């Protein structure tokens, strides 16, 4: 997975925080704490499209022109996991200790049961794929 620039990450944070695709104008209008210039938005959008971080998700009539609407191709959580896997932070040797540490620090029995259900469901998916 290709890494993102600081500005691209800011744009992705915005897209992850809203529950709908946005046009470039809407992105600029909602980006009050940005470090990039408004004119840079199209360069970032092209880059994020190339990196397959965003997709065109419809069009909207703005004045007399149509504007593309952009949406993330994955959730923030999915991005974090893919980044960790891509950086080789996880392997057969490191995943178990990481998960063990996470589970050992969880005191909510209901949450632990949810973890167990998720693992069980994933195992069943893998077995049915074979």
């Amino acid at each position: 997975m290709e890494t993102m620039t600081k500005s691209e990450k800011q744009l992705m944070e915005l897209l992850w925080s809203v529950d709908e695709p946005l046009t470039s104008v809407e992105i600029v209008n909602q980006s009050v704490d940005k470090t990039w210039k408004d004119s840079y938005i199209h360069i970032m959008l092209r880059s994020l499209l190339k990196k397959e971080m965003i997709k065109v998700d419809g069009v909207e009539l703005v004045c007399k022109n149509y504007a593309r609407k952009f949406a993330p191709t994955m959730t923030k959580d999915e991005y974090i996991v893919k980044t960790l896997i891509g950086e080789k932070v996880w392997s057969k040797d490191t995943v178990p200790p990481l998960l063990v540490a996470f589970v050992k620090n969880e005191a909510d029995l209901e949450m632990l049961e949810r973890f167990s259900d998720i693992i069980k469901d994933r195992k069943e998916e893998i077995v049915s794929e074979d």
Side-chain angles (χ1 to χ4, degrees):
M1 176 182 294
E2 291 186 57
T3 58
M4 291 188 288
T5 66
K6 180 181 176 183
S7 297
E8 289 172 341
K9 286 179 185 176
Q10 286 179 317
L11 195 153
M12 288 304 299
E13 289 291 342
L14 170 66
L15 291 173
W16 282 320
S17 71
V18 297
D19 197 22
E20 62 185 348
L22 299 176
T23 65
S24 60
V25 171
E26 291 169 327
I27 291 169
V28 169
N29 290 341
Q30 292 190 31
S31 302
V32 291
D33 295 334
K34 66 186 181 315
T35 60
W36 36 272
K37 296 183 180 183
D38 294 352
S39 59
Y40 187 54
I41 186 74
H42 297 289
I43 294 169
M44 285 191 301
L45 289 170
R46 273 194 301 277
S47 176
L48 290 169
L49 282 166
K50 183 179 175 187
K51 293 175 182 178
E52 298 181 349
M53 292 298 302
I54 61 171
K55 64 183 176 183
V56 176
D57 194 3
V59 292
E60 180 177 294
L61 185 60
V62 179
C63 297
K64 295 181 180 182
N65 298 314
Y66 284 95
R68 295 182 297 172
K69 295 180 81 81
F70 301 95
T73 57
M74 65 187 79
T75 66
K76 185 175 181 178
D77 292 337
E78 290 169 333
Y79 169 73
I80 290 169
V81 169
K82 286 185 180 201
T83 301
L84 289 172
I85 290 170
E87 292 178 0
K88 308 293 184 225
V89 173
W90 289 3
S91 70
K92 288 184 179 183
D93 296 329
T94 59
V95 172
L98 177 65
L99 292 175
V100 168
F102 188 76
V103 170
K104 280 187 174 184
N105 285 296
E106 182 57 61
D108 184 342
L109 290 175
E110 190 174 319
M111 185 62 75
L112 290 171
E113 189 62 37
R114 288 181 63 198
F115 293 160
S116 178
D117 291 344
I118 291 167
I119 291 169
K120 179 180 168 244
D121 291 346
R122 182 62 183 138
K123 284 180 176 179
E124 290 172 0
E125 287 174 12
I126 292 170
V127 168
S128 69
E129 290 173 359
D130 291 338

